[in-house]
Amino acid sequence: MDQTTQSTTHGSAPTASRRSLRQRGRTVLRRAIALFTLWLSVHVAAMLWFGLHDDLRPADAAVVLGNWVEADGSPGPLLKVRLDRALEVYHARLVKKFIVSGATWGADYNEPAAMKRYLIANGVPAADIIEDEFGSNTYHTALNARITMRAREIETVMIISDFYHIMRTRLAFSLAGIDDARSAHSNLPPQWGVVYWIGRETVAFYRYLFHDYRAQGVIGR
Amino acid sequence: MATATATSSSVILRTTSLHKTYRMGGEDLHVLRGVEMSLQKGEWLAVLGASGSGKSTLLHLLGGLDRPDQGSVLFGGEDIFANGSGGVDRYRNTTVGFVFQFYHLLPELTALENVVICGMIGNGVLAWPGVRAKVRARATEMLERLGLKDRLHHKPSKLSGGERQRVAIARALAHSPALLLADEPTGNLDANTGGQILDVFREFHRAGQTIVMVTHDARVAAAADRRLTLEAGRLAGA
Ligand SMILES: Nc1ncnc2c1ncn2[C@@H]1O[C@H](COP(=O)(O)OP(=O)(O)OP(=O)(O)O)[C@@H](O)[C@H]1O
Ligand SMILES: [Mg+2]
């Protein structure tokens, strides 16, 4: 191969082989980009399918994943639409109870408390809302949900979050030993942030997939 | 107040010195400080008060959504919290109907299905055709009574705010609850549409429905038989 290359490129051999190397490099790169794009579109397609295709079979409890809470204790815009979706399935009697899972910070910032308050204000009995104050990320939410389910004899749950978050949440739940979760997505108003969130979720999904959480020894069936 | 206590036999709902404190951060918020009220069967009571005065909190206690720290809620002379969580669940599901500012109808279902699904699962026998037909007939009747005859098979997204609220009212009243509790039922509607919702309440009230309605709007409260104002954690006649 080297021979032919050299003989066809009259004289300036090193430049030519460099050029062909560059060409080959470019082909490889082009193929890599094509593969990456293909993989990305398959991934995003799966994310959209899991996120937008709600599974509304009745469940014992809905697990609502926390998000930003305003200073006055009312849910931020993302959390509000999640809670509204939760209330829709509750009032249609598709779920009987709630696990509200989120982060707390100091004495004043409390996502589960804010979620509970919003649900009570819209007709859910306080006694049917279980607060998980240690749901600072999706994985912890899943683990704590598993523990709560055992303690409270909850057999089936419905995940409630934004559409781009549902697939990773399902993964986290199955890592925690909760299979067959139902899911429903919130009615997010269209916004550019979604593009960023989809990107972030894509990376986070593989972090969850390849991190050996089982090795942490917290999970068991 | 004198009329409310005159004939104790017709008193349907009564409270004894209700107290409720919320713990927010490190601070205690003593919202209700001895609320006493009594309600006659068939009466329409409006509870007024500034934002944050505790109107919703009181309504949640009356409906058994939350428990008071002190005092009791007596329905038909019986403490609704006396028989454990099963007792208060039964009270909430059979005796009370709730209407809120927002409707939270399931967007996947039609108006009729939104009312039916509630009654079906309430019955526990999803597949029983007899129950299904009865629940469906009752839901249809309720929606027609609320002026939604032509909207039965519309999804919520195709309905106006006032129509959605009427579907929510049909859902709340489909099981014929003795007590209708409403928290700012017109709060999300313009004056005209809000007026139509009050007309609906008026009609059910004329037919004997007992109603407690919470609002911060004196014009809305004017539709009721009697008004009480929540101030500094207590109720006062207005
Ligand atoms: N779950 C809760 N935790 C902490 N504080 C609460 C909770 N629910 C209500 N509060 C506070 O208690 C007070 C009374 O609230 P409530 O919702 O009963 O008032 P309201 O009269 O209905 O007000 P609005 O007219 O704004 O609806 C408010 O200061 C509110 O912030
Ligand atoms: Mg209120």
Side-chain angles (χ1 to χ4, degrees):
Chain A
M1 282 295 279
D2 266 60
Q3 210 80 37
T4 38
T5 327
Q6 267 175 20
S7 63
T8 47
T9 52
H10 311 277
S12 52
T15 334
S17 94
R18 218 180 294 138
R19 198 179 291 149
S20 94
L21 253 180
R22 211 183 290 150
Q23 242 159 25
R24 226 179 294 165
R26 242 182 249 142
T27 317
V28 169
L29 189 68
R30 223 178 287 131
R31 281 191 191 150
I33 290 172
L35 257 164
F36 178 80
T37 313
L38 184 68
W39 160 77
L40 198 65
S41 14
V42 169
H43 182 96
V44 171
M47 186 189 279
L48 293 178
W49 194 85
F50 278 108
L52 298 172
H53 182 265
D54 289 353
D55 177 354
L56 293 179
R57 285 172 298 152
D60 295 332
V63 181
V64 190
L65 286 100
N67 201 292
W68 179 247
V69 168
E70 310 288 354
D72 66 358
S74 62
L78 252 63
L79 187 53
K80 186 183 177 300
V81 289
R82 288 183 192 178
L83 291 166
D84 285 334
R85 184 63 171 155
L87 285 160
E88 287 168 11
V89 297
Y90 176 82
H91 286 302
R93 311 252 172 128
L94 299 179
V95 300
K96 302 186 207 94
K97 286 183 195 307
F98 285 102
I99 299 174
V100 289
S101 178
T104 58
W105 187 260
D108 293 325
Y109 185 82
N110 192 321
E111 291 176 7
M115 293 157 89
K116 181 174 181 177
R117 191 167 158 183
Y118 188 84
L119 292 175
I120 296 174
N122 287 287
V124 183
D128 290 342
I129 307 169
I130 303 156
E131 289 168 272
D132 164 22
E133 297 194 336
F134 302 98
S136 53
N137 64 45
T138 306
Y139 187 67
H140 288 152
T141 293
L143 269 187
N144 297 341
R146 182 77 189 113
I147 294 163
T148 305
M149 285 171 77
R150 271 192 193 160
R152 305 283 190 114
E153 292 176 352
I154 294 168
E155 281 180 6
T156 49
V157 290
M158 184 184 287
I159 295 163
I160 301 203
S161 193
D162 308 325
F163 72 88
Y164 50 80
H165 187 212
I166 299 256
M167 186 164 79
R168 179 163 63 100
T169 309
R170 280 182 168 282
L171 172 64
F173 272 55
S174 90
L175 286 170
I178 306 167
D179 298 314
D180 197 35
R182 292 87 164 109
S183 65
H185 72 282
S186 62
N187 182 19
L188 266 190
Q191 52 199 297
W192 283 111
V194 167
V195 177
Y196 165 73
W197 291 323
I198 286 180
R200 215 186 59 167
E201 272 308 310
T202 305
V203 176
F205 180 85
Y206 290 93
R207 235 177 352 103
Y208 271 40
L209 193 60
F210 295 124
H211 190 306
D212 192 5
Y213 285 103
R214 276 165 220 268
Q216 293 179 348
V218 224
I219 313 170
R221 276 176 195 250
Chain B
M1 287 299 278
T3 53
T5 44
T7 47
S8 65
S9 62
S10 61
V11 169
I12 190 169
L13 186 73
R14 192 162 71 82
T15 70
T16 62
S17 193
L18 290 176
H19 284 260
K20 183 74 183 177
T21 300
Y22 290 117
R23 173 136 267 207
M24 266 294 261
E27 279 166 65
D28 279 352
L29 192 61
H30 199 163
V31 180
L32 302 183
R33 303 164 177 249
V35 170
E36 307 254 3
M37 57 161 280
S38 86
L39 186 70
Q40 304 265 78
K41 190 167 191 296
E43 198 181 7
W44 181 357
L45 173 72
V47 175
L48 281 152
S51 179
S53 57
K55 305 181 296 293
S56 297
T57 303
L58 173 61
L59 203 76
H60 301 158
L61 301 185
L62 296 181
L65 289 175
D66 209 350
R67 281 170 181 269
D69 298 322
Q70 263 179 65
S72 45
V73 176
L74 304 154
F75 182 87
E78 279 191 51
D79 186 341
I80 62 166
F81 298 107
N83 299 314
S85 66
V88 72
D89 284 350
R90 230 175 358 262
Y91 167 73
R92 212 172 32 236
N93 293 330
T94 62
T95 309
V96 186
F98 291 98
V99 173
F100 298 95
Q101 182 175 352
F102 300 102
Y103 332 114
H104 293 119
L105 305 170
L106 199 66
E108 283 88 348
L109 303 181
T110 65
L112 180 62
E113 288 163 348
N114 262 286
V115 180
V116 168
I117 194 172
C118 232
M120 286 311 288
I121 298 174
N123 268 296
V125 252
L126 255 163
W128 193 15
V131 171
R132 198 188 160 73
K134 232 164 75 187
V135 169
R136 216 181 143 82
R138 172 72 183 153
T140 309
E141 179 202 320
M142 287 301 297
L143 287 165
E144 286 180 358
R145 199 167 153 197
L146 286 157
L148 294 167
K149 196 176 173 38
D150 305 324
R151 295 284 183 278
L152 295 180
H153 304 294
H154 287 55
K155 299 259 173 82
S157 58
K158 298 281 184 299
L159 300 175
S160 70
E163 288 170 336
R164 287 182 212 181
Q165 184 61 301
R166 279 183 276 159
V167 176
I169 294 172
R171 187 172 65 180
L173 293 177
H175 62 293
S176 313
L179 183 62
L180 175 62
L181 300 180
D183 193 346
E184 309 273 6
T186 62
N188 197 35
L189 302 169
D190 61 61
N192 191 24
T193 319
Q196 293 170 11
I197 296 299
L198 290 176
D199 287 342
V200 165
F201 277 40
R202 238 175 240 120
E203 195 209 311
F204 281 94
H205 177 53
R206 257 201 302 274
Q209 182 69 53
T210 311
I211 306 172
V212 179
M213 176 179 76
V214 152
T215 178
H216 64 273
D217 188 338
R219 280 167 304 178
V220 170
D225 298 337
R226 186 158 63 100
R227 282 150 291 282
L228 295 173
T229 303
L230 198 50
E231 224 181 320
R234 285 164 187 257
L235 275 179

